[in-house]
Amino acid sequence: MQLTPEQLLQFQSDGFLILPNLFSPVEVALLRAGMDRVFRQDDPANIREKHSQVVRTAMALHQRDEVFARLARHPRFVEPAQQIAGPDLYIQQVKINVKEAFTGEVWQWHQDFATHHHDDGVPEPLALNLHVFLDDVNEFNGPLYFVRGSHRFGPAATRHDTTTTSYPLWVVPPDVLKKMTARGELVSAKGSAGTALIFGDVLVHGSPPNLSPWPRAIFSLILNPVKNHSTSEKRPQHFHHRDLTPVVALADNCLSGAR
Ligand code: SIN
Ligand code: MN
């Protein structure tokens, strides 16, 4: 699948792209069945919420279940990523972030690059984050918030937050965020299950706790140019995979087999 010239321009201008209903209900059902399987596994790559102990993020999914091995190589993700970031991309991270109804906790304001750079030694902010919603995402169940155009400001000053949640994160402090929102509006990324997002490594984003009665699960694939690979193995490999083999796109029907 190729992005249109208009979509590429929009990505360059906003720093993100929302692709409504990119995956079908049948494909989402297959992914949700895979999610149930991996969440039942007792695995160190299932990271639990600080307070409720329910799963917050489940990582290394392409190594743990066939449906995610295929999704990480899906042409609707890989080909647009190659258009934006070049032909040789490796699979850096494959996860599902969940916000359980009532208990799902915050993702503080951050740029993914800060963690990739400080923790994994990634040189440049060239990686792409590709999401697909596994639930309907609305204004109540913890959608991602983006600062439109914040990628233009480049890497921001950050602070390492190891206490707010169970997931240590390099975060953008409130004073920096305030300056950015004076120049770029806030957008919440909402849509039906199957909707996809693409955003770059320095786009500022976060998401609020889930106060609603509706769970919110989002699959996330990070692809990084091989030439921009990590230079530190400080974190366990489920945070940043070491295999630099360029990803090769599968067929468009690789999830469902449907034609
Ligand atoms: C992310 O920063 O990629 C995760 C945010 C979320 O799942 O809400
Ligand atoms: Mn992020």
Side-chain angles (χ1 to χ4, degrees):
M1 183 190 99
Q2 297 290 301
L3 298 175
T4 64
E6 294 74 27
Q7 288 173 318
L8 285 169
L9 275 178
Q10 182 143 26
F11 176 80
Q12 281 153 14
S13 158
D14 291 345
F16 65 90
L17 202 55
I18 301 177
L19 300 166
N21 304 312
L22 186 67
F23 290 87
S24 72
V26 169
E27 290 169 325
V28 170
L30 292 165
L31 297 171
R32 289 186 56 90
M35 176 171 78
D36 292 342
R37 288 191 293 273
V38 293
F39 277 39
R40 279 198 300 271
Q41 296 166 356
D42 183 17
D43 192 304
N46 285 352
I47 297 168
R48 294 176 183 279
E49 294 283 19
K50 184 169 179 171
H51 295 106
S52 66
Q53 296 300 310
V54 301
V55 176
R56 169 182 178 84
T57 183
M59 307 184 104
L61 298 185
H62 63 312
Q63 298 176 339
R64 297 171 56 192
D65 198 281
E66 178 61 21
V67 79
F68 297 116
R70 290 169 189 241
L71 184 58
R73 298 170 176 85
H74 202 290
R76 282 174 241 156
F77 278 155
V78 173
E79 290 170 358
Q82 289 172 323
Q83 275 182 282
I84 295 169
D88 290 338
L89 307 174
Y90 71 97
I91 296 174
Q92 174 174 325
Q93 195 184 70
V94 186
K95 63 183 182 292
I96 292 175
N97 285 334
V98 176
K99 280 182 199 272
E100 275 307 333
F102 299 114
T103 58
E105 295 177 30
V106 67
W107 282 91
Q108 310 93 305
W109 288 109
H110 68 281
Q111 296 171 315
D112 291 342
F113 180 64
T115 298
H116 301 162
H117 186 63
H118 292 301
D119 291 350
D120 305 332
V122 170
E124 301 288 337
L126 304 176
L128 292 174
N129 202 330
L130 303 121
H131 285 191
V132 57
F133 298 170
L134 303 182
D135 288 301
D136 294 343
V137 179
N138 58 43
E139 63 264 54
F140 305 109
N141 65 351
L144 268 85
Y145 295 164
F146 296 131
V147 183
R148 192 194 295 279
S150 53
H151 61 305
R152 293 175 192 283
F153 307 142
T158 51
R159 179 177 71 78
H160 200 213
D161 182 348
T162 57
T163 56
T164 301
T165 75
S166 58
Y167 194 99
L169 194 67
W170 290 86
V171 302
V172 174
D175 56 321
V176 178
L177 200 274
K178 198 168 169 187
K179 283 187 201 128
M180 287 183 173
T181 51
R183 295 167 65 188
E185 67 173 342
L186 292 183
V187 179
S188 64
K190 296 176 288 192
S192 315
T195 293
L197 306 176
I198 307 175
F199 58 97
D201 222 21
V202 282
L203 187 78
V204 176
H205 60 284
S207 60
N210 185 358
L211 295 179
S212 83
W214 307 297
R216 189 229 71 171
I218 300 180
F219 172 87
S220 156
L221 165 68
I222 298 181
L223 297 177
N224 189 31
V226 172
K227 65 176 191 308
N228 191 45
H229 63 81
S230 60
T231 58
S232 161
E233 299 192 350
K234 199 164 68 184
R235 299 200 293 171
Q237 65 98 26
H238 53 263
F239 289 99
H240 197 128
H241 294 285
R242 324 284 197 229
D243 181 355
L244 302 182
T245 309
V247 65
V248 176
L250 300 175
D252 193 72
N253 65 355
C254 61
L255 294 180
S256 67
R259 293 190 176 274

